[in-house]
Amino acid sequence: MAWHARKLSAQTMIFDIEPLVAYWDSGQDSLDRGIGLLLSQVATMPCVQVVCFATNSQRRPSVVPSVAGKRVVYVASAGKPLRTAAYREFPRPGVVIGDQVATDGALARRLGYTFVLYDARLDGVPAGPRLMGAWGRLMRPLLFTRAG
């Protein structure tokens, strides 16, 4: 993940929450810990100016942490990929990192950002994300070509 951002000189990174930051249905501690872990990795990347965490769920961190020299944004009930206003003023180039082509990938496409598919092949994925993943597999050839 960090390799892609460095290679692209990404100034904005948008992370999907579930399951990259915290697993679906996980508790508050898991969400807070996941955000802190990702921010500690991104903090070492001088090109990144904005770090955004976005989820279509209503879950929120206890506190949106800060990192010196970076703007940290958390968007709950994001309405990905339909709502884009929250991201429009972010600097370019940008990257969206997530597990769903139909939401995260389509958001990246609408913003003109690079999309990095997080495909962990996890067990116990809830029915909703599993169905969205199937829909995304059908959409993928329409939206993207595979990078070598």
Side-chain angles (χ1 to χ4, degrees), residues 6-116:
R6 282 192 175 100
K7 183 178 177 186
L8 297 168
S9 298
Q11 293 184 36
T12 296
M13 295 182 76
I14 300 173
F15 293 97
D16 180 34
I17 294 295
E18 294 93 5
L20 179 61
V21 176
Y23 204 73
W24 302 274
D25 302 330
S26 63
Q28 191 68 48
D29 288 343
S30 178
L31 177 62
D32 293 343
R33 230 182 358 266
I35 289 172
L37 178 63
L38 275 175
L39 282 177
S40 69
Q41 294 172 10
V42 175
T44 66
M45 303 168 75
C47 60
V48 176
Q49 296 175 26
V50 175
V51 181
C52 178
F53 297 95
T55 180
N56 283 342
S57 75
Q58 294 179 5
R59 73 190 299 188
R60 298 173 187 277
S62 300
V63 174
V64 177
S66 61
V67 173
K70 311 225 183 286
R71 179 177 168 206
V72 180
V73 178
Y74 190 95
V75 182
S77 302
K80 299 178 290 180
L82 302 176
R83 291 190 226 147
T84 60
Y87 319 102
R88 287 286 176 197
E89 300 303 316
F90 292 169
R92 295 175 179 274
V95 62
V96 176
I97 303 166
D99 69 315
Q100 296 289 345
V101 172
T103 56
D104 307 313
L107 175 66
R109 177 76 180 230
R110 291 194 67 205
L111 296 172
Y113 284 11
T114 298
F115 175 55
V116 176

